[in-house]
Amino acid sequence: MAPALSDLQPQSAPKATAAAQAAIGDGLVAEAQAFADELAAWRHDLHQMPELGNSLPQTSAYIQARLTEMDIPFATLVDGSCVVGLVGAGAVAAQGNGVCTDEQAGTVVMLRGDMDALPVAEESGEPFASTNGCMHACGHDMHATALLGAARMLKAREAELVDANATVKLLFQPGEETFEGARAAIADGLLQNPRPQAAFAMHVNSQSPLGLVLYGSPALSGVYGFRITLQGKGGHGSSPEICIDPITAGVHVHLALQELISREVPAAKEVALTVGKFAGGQAANVIPDTCVLEGTLRGFDVELMEHLKTRIAEVVKGVATTYRTPATIETLSDVPPLVLDDDMTQASLGYVGAVLPKSAFLPLFHAMASEDFALISSEIPSAYFTIGAAVTDTDEHFAQHHPKARFGDAELPLGAAAYTAVALGYIADHR
């Protein structure tokens, strides 16, 4: 059950500046709630077309169609699966190709909503549940929808943004779950034409009550994902002496990696190493040629993470040599901790607090999960919050990535208003 706000000792958000407060006003939530049914319809559509990784053709086409209806110019990156819209001073220059120069854009703030799903068969029981074997079990359909709502409200204020010589960059990002999307978008020029001076992102939480906002830094751990392939010599299970068994080697590699954490990492350090995949063999009486282990290393100390990556390679090589199974190690992901800018965080708390004054703010966001927004926050000053989106009609609030996870549509107007407030507030403070 989601905790009651009264049990959480909430804090008030810092006050926004007078300029930001005036720009934000006090009607954004009501404005968003006026088209809450449309927000819910958009979200339900996206929920029923979950796609994975960096290949989101249907999702991208849907976002492009909505932006086209709003007359918002956009460009696509990452083979068409990433959509980047512009509102404000840079939008006129961007008509036709979706990009503009830094000079044309003026002050630029970027709002990010990820939109990829997970390879999870949905069991939520929602009438709009997906049926293609994938699921928006992490709420990215909520993020994309809230950002669409913000796009609509910002477009209505485009003349004010032009007068302020400012641009809002709208990032609809693929590949967050696989840690591929932000890196690919940056490589395709995301942080250019125009370059944002700051960025903001939010993530819904299926177990937190509506109106709870969590923040912190470092908010999420860095992650190193790896694949270890051990090459043996297969044969009949009756004659292991003439084979080289990679499964035996794999077992010892797994144990050695766990001992690496327990024996070489200080107890006070926050580090987690998990081998989540161990694959070798297909028959009980056949020794296979190869064994494959895949896992993740997570932590907040960048120097320690680099040391442990080196030690993983040394340990794997040593064990593999002992068991006569040459080993290769592939990097599947490599994302730094999500370290956020203090000034941008405090300012964004003020902006969100101005538009959601009844929300509870808690500096408790610090978890071992990972997020590729870290690749953006390492480049430009950024803020990142989680916002409660638990449904209210059940005592069973399943965690994200669970096949029964559910999210409440009531969060959508709040998320849209929060995105909008951050953009308007930041621009007012940086004119």
Side-chain angles (χ1 to χ4, degrees):
M1 174 183 286
L5 288 180
S6 58
D7 297 333
L8 293 172
Q9 299 179 343
Q11 302 176 358
S12 298
K15 294 291 185 182
T17 65
Q21 182 68 67
I24 293 167
D26 58 7
L28 287 180
V29 171
E31 183 179 340
Q33 287 177 333
F35 63 97
D37 288 347
E38 191 168 8
L39 286 170
W42 290 343
R43 185 252 166 152
H44 296 176
D45 287 344
L46 289 169
H47 193 86
Q48 293 177 83
M49 59 176 76
E51 297 172 297
L52 306 179
N54 274 357
S55 181
L56 311 183
Q58 288 183 281
T59 306
S60 176
Y62 189 89
I63 297 298
Q64 292 178 52
R66 303 290 80 74
L67 293 179
T68 298
E69 291 169 356
M70 298 176 197
D71 195 27
I72 293 175
F74 59 85
T76 61
L77 309 174
V78 194
D79 295 325
S81 288
C82 180
V83 184
V84 183
L86 295 175
V87 181
V92 174
Q95 291 288 352
N97 63 5
V99 299
C100 67
T101 66
D102 294 349
E103 292 76 14
Q104 291 169 321
T107 300
V108 183
V109 59
M110 184 166 71
L111 306 177
R112 181 269 215 164
D114 44 8
M115 54 184 189
D116 58 318
L118 288 158
V120 172
E122 184 160 0
E123 300 175 11
S124 69
E126 297 282 21
F128 52 87
S130 64
T131 58
N132 68 353
C134 299
M135 178 187 177
H136 273 294
C138 203
H140 293 187
D141 55 328
M142 302 283 289
H143 306 161
T145 300
L147 188 53
L148 280 175
R152 176 168 170 169
M153 290 193 287
L154 289 164
K155 182 65 177 181
R157 293 161 174 79
E158 188 161 50
E160 301 168 25
L161 298 177
V162 172
D163 288 343
N165 189 31
T167 302
V168 182
K169 199 165 190 176
L170 307 165
L171 168 59
F172 296 87
Q173 184 201 304
E176 189 282 323
E177 295 292 356
T178 57
F179 307 120
E180 300 171 327
R183 192 184 305 278
I186 291 170
D188 278 359
L190 170 66
L191 301 183
Q192 304 166 20
N193 299 320
R195 182 175 178 83
Q197 284 98 55
F200 176 76
M202 294 187 299
H203 203 300
V204 292
N205 189 302
S206 61
Q207 296 181 299
S208 294
L210 196 67
L212 176 63
V213 178
L214 302 181
Y215 64 97
S217 183
L220 296 170
S221 72
V223 60
Y224 165 61
F226 56 87
R227 176 187 294 123
I228 301 165
T229 302
L230 300 165
Q231 181 65 50
K233 179 182 177 182
H236 200 287
S238 66
S239 305
E241 72 281 1
I242 63 172
C243 304
I244 300 175
D245 190 348
I247 292 180
T248 298
V251 169
H252 286 276
V253 165
H254 180 269
L255 293 174
L257 293 180
Q258 301 307 313
E259 291 168 359
L260 178 64
I261 300 302
S262 65
R263 297 295 89 186
E264 297 188 25
V265 176
K269 293 291 186 180
E270 298 170 290
V271 177
L273 191 153
T274 297
V275 175
K277 179 178 179 179
F278 192 114
Q282 297 185 2
N285 64 341
V286 177
I287 292 173
D289 283 323
T290 61
C291 178
V292 177
L293 293 78
E294 293 183 9
T296 57
L297 171 72
R298 300 175 191 268
F300 295 94
D301 186 320
V302 174
E303 185 176 348
L304 177 59
M305 289 280 285
E306 289 301 316
H307 170 71
L308 288 173
K309 283 190 273 186
T310 298
R311 289 292 291 132
I312 287 172
E314 292 172 348
V315 166
V316 170
K317 181 179 179 180
V319 174
T321 298
T322 299
Y323 288 91
R324 300 176 297 152
T325 53
T328 58
I329 303 177
E330 302 169 67
T331 298
L332 303 180
S333 57
D334 197 356
V335 174
L338 180 57
V339 178
L340 302 163
D341 183 80
D342 289 341
D343 290 341
M344 183 60 182
T345 296
Q346 289 301 307
S348 297
L349 285 169
Y351 307 147
V352 175
V355 76
L356 303 178
K358 295 183 180 179
S359 290
F361 294 83
L362 288 170
L364 301 179
F365 189 27
H366 182 76
M368 293 300 290
S370 302
E371 158 68 88
D372 76 348
F373 186 69
L375 294 166
I376 293 172
S377 72
S378 64
E379 292 283 339
I380 55 178
S382 301
Y384 184 104
F385 301 158
T386 65
I387 184 167
V391 294
T392 59
D393 60 349
T394 177
D395 287 336
E396 293 183 338
H397 291 110
F398 293 92
Q400 265 115 271
H401 292 216
H402 193 283
K404 294 183 179 180
R406 297 174 61 201
F407 302 87
D409 288 340
E411 185 276 338
L412 296 172
L414 305 185
Y419 271 129
T420 305
V422 170
L424 296 177
Y426 180 87
I427 289 166
D429 282 341
H430 293 83
R431 295 187 65 168

